[in-house]
Amino acid sequence: MLDIQKIRAEFPILSEKVNGKPLVYFDNGATSQKPQIVIDAEAKYYQEINANIHRGVHTLSQLATDAYEISRVKIQHHINAKFSHEVLFTSGTTHGINLVTNGFASILKPGDEVIVSSLEHHSNIVPWQMLCEKTGATLRVIPMNEDGELIMEAFEALLSEKTKVVTVNHISNALGIINPIKYIIEKAHAVGAAVLIDGAQAVPHLKPDVQDLDCDFYAFSGHKMCGPTGTGILYGKEEWLNKLPPYQGGGEMIKEVTFEKTTYADLPHKFEAGTPNIAGGIVLGTAVDYLNNIGFHNIQKQEEKLLEHATKRLLEIEGLKIYGTGKNKASVVSFNIDGIHPYDIGSIIDKLGIAVRTGHHCAQPIMTFFCIPGTIRASFSFYNTIEEIDVMIEAVKKAKTMLS
């Protein structure tokens, strides 16, 4: 059982006050807070071993390179990748998805099809739209039902020999729905399609096993899992990463350069042009260690309690509707109150120190489906408490009274 108060003491920002009230931070789906060990690790890099990596023979460069590559191996083990060179450092999920779509620009042709889901974040829609415009391929969309779940029968009907890529999120950022990605991957592979999973919202809550899933690509961000902003990972199967062309040209990604011809470096460096976010990459490994020390089983048990309590208490409020009522959910509750704009609720409860997200959550097709402008989204992490949820409930009630 987690000692929540001990854990909360490890996050300096959780003791802050906002508008004179104790901070209640329920915007974890946008970014998580950082424990002191992660904050200290970032400072330690700059204070003790700051140097560019992979290129220098001097001591600091070697120390920085070793720390960076140790972090890559930590992440390899965390997601159970077969090889460390299948783990690419990126600036985040968006970077990883764009890297893959750029590579498929040389593979897709008119008549090919790409399948996305109606639950996607814009970062897993727009790059594929751009790719289809560039190549003449067609974008197909898996529809959803009123519970926010993907309709698997419709997905299977979309699949054909024309399907070259299927891309879905592991967990919906707007609704918290956990998608049946292993089934989706299996069905996509049966028609010869590659599969990319957007794991941005999943990695704070669970450990993805990419070999068990058998996905071809899995992208996620570091800042949602207690790591630094501007960090992320793209996992890609070795065969696919060898097949795709480099995303960017420059230093580090080359083997040999002449004015007549350039040859590219081996994996993973082929996709890591220029000086990376060295500190961020190292510290992402620290964040992964931190979460594993807590234990994802413990994280899930705590977050399940929070989700259950929040759902029950919110539904006690007259006129409140929750969006995303499917059976399998992460610790996210997206809701509205009849006749009140979500922004107005969010603004009022912010004055009471409560941070939630309001709007379309970069998932406008979902809002269009429900015929709403947006929702109020409360997204919980393992360091949140039942008591904080009760504070939010009273604040929402107060806001409703003020706005009715």
Side-chain angles (χ1 to χ4, degrees):
M1 186 173 177
L2 294 181
D3 184 341
I4 301 300
Q5 292 309 315
K6 178 176 180 292
I7 287 172
R8 287 178 63 82
E10 296 168 350
F11 290 78
I13 202 169
L14 296 182
S15 62
E16 291 291 306
K17 290 192 173 182
V18 172
N19 296 318
K21 305 287 185 180
L23 170 65
V24 174
Y25 186 79
F26 288 160
D27 195 20
N28 295 286
T31 194
S32 68
Q33 296 302 341
K34 320 305 175 194
Q36 190 66 53
I37 193 171
V38 165
I39 296 168
D40 290 346
E42 181 114 6
K44 181 181 174 69
Y45 165 78
Y46 286 114
Q47 289 169 349
E48 297 182 9
I49 60 168
N50 178 44
N52 215 326
I53 57 174
H54 296 144
R55 302 168 195 172
V57 296
H58 62 83
T59 299
L60 288 186
S61 180
Q62 292 296 312
L63 290 171
T65 298
D66 289 347
Y68 194 73
E69 293 305 324
I70 286 169
S71 183
R72 193 192 305 274
V73 171
K74 286 180 182 179
I75 294 157
Q76 174 206 351
H77 293 156
H78 179 72
I79 64 174
N80 193 30
K82 190 173 183 180
F83 306 111
S84 63
H85 58 252
E86 294 179 320
V87 175
L88 309 182
F89 283 108
T90 66
S91 64
T93 309
T94 300
H95 179 186
I97 293 170
N98 276 274
L99 187 157
V100 175
T101 58
N102 176 81
F104 271 89
S106 63
I107 295 173
L108 296 188
K109 60 186 185 304
D112 289 340
E113 294 182 353
V114 175
I115 296 177
V116 302
S117 93
S118 52
L119 287 176
E120 300 311 303
H121 188 282
H122 295 165
S123 63
N124 202 29
I125 298 173
V126 178
W128 299 103
Q129 287 178 324
M130 295 168 68
L131 174 65
C132 288
E133 289 171 1
K134 186 182 296 185
T135 61
T138 302
L139 193 70
R140 302 290 187 192
V141 183
I142 310 168
M144 61 187 278
N145 62 26
E146 289 290 332
D147 292 326
E149 298 170 319
L150 297 179
I151 302 172
M152 286 296 98
E153 296 84 357
F155 165 61
E156 291 176 36
L158 289 173
L159 289 168
S160 74
E161 71 281 353
K162 295 179 181 179
T163 309
K164 303 306 176 188
V165 185
V166 174
T167 180
V168 297
N169 55 38
H170 198 158
I171 296 177
S172 164
N173 75 301
L175 304 178
I177 296 294
I178 303 173
N179 288 318
I181 59 168
K182 193 167 183 179
Y183 179 82
I184 289 170
I185 292 163
E186 181 183 318
K187 290 295 182 181
H189 283 170
V191 298
V195 183
L196 181 145
I197 301 298
D198 172 355
Q201 294 294 327
V203 290
H205 310 295
L206 54 85
K207 286 180 70 166
D209 184 331
V210 294
Q211 289 193 73
D212 178 62
L213 291 170
D214 197 30
C215 56
D216 300 291
F217 303 98
Y218 195 102
F220 61 93
S221 301
H223 70 94
K224 297 181 192 292
M225 55 185 304
C226 298
T229 56
T231 64
I233 295 296
L234 174 66
Y235 158 80
K237 282 183 181 174
E238 181 184 59
E239 61 188 282
W240 271 110
L241 294 179
N242 281 327
K243 194 181 299 185
L244 298 184
Y247 179 48
Q248 295 176 312
E252 190 69 21
M253 53 75 66
I254 58 88
K255 186 172 288 182
E256 185 176 354
V257 175
T258 69
F259 285 112
E260 290 71 37
K261 182 175 177 58
T262 293
T263 54
Y264 305 129
D266 295 330
L267 297 175
H269 309 299
K270 168 184 169 184
F271 292 103
E272 294 182 348
T275 298
N277 181 354
I278 302 167
I282 293 169
V283 177
L284 181 52
T286 304
V288 164
D289 285 344
Y290 177 79
L291 293 175
N292 281 315
N293 285 336
I294 291 174
F296 278 85
H297 176 68
N298 293 324
I299 288 171
Q300 287 164 4
K301 284 176 64 177
Q302 170 68 4
E303 292 177 350
E304 284 167 6
K305 287 182 195 172
L306 296 171
L307 176 63
E308 182 180 357
H309 186 74
T311 302
K312 180 185 174 194
R313 292 296 319 275
L314 284 167
L315 289 175
E316 294 171 359
I317 300 173
E318 187 177 351
L320 186 144
K321 178 177 179 178
I322 291 175
Y323 299 88
T325 53
K327 182 179 178 182
N328 295 316
K329 283 192 65 173
S331 52
V332 174
V333 184
S334 213
F335 64 94
N336 278 334
I337 297 176
D338 284 347
I340 302 176
H341 197 283
Y343 178 83
D344 295 334
I345 296 281
S347 297
I348 289 174
I349 69 174
D350 172 62
K351 303 298 182 190
L352 302 172
I354 299 159
V356 294
R357 178 71 43 158
T358 60
H360 55 64
H361 316 302
C362 292
Q364 286 182 311
I366 293 176
M367 306 306 148
T368 300
F369 175 84
F370 287 116
C371 301
I372 54 176
T375 68
I376 304 150
R377 184 189 71 185
S379 49
F380 313 119
S381 183
F382 60 90
Y383 47 66
N384 291 128
T385 66
I386 296 291
E387 291 75 20
E388 287 182 310
I389 290 171
D390 290 338
V391 170
M392 179 188 73
I393 297 297
E394 294 309 310
V396 170
K397 288 179 179 177
K398 183 173 183 179
K400 180 191 173 190
T401 300
M402 293 173 62
L403 294 166
S404 295

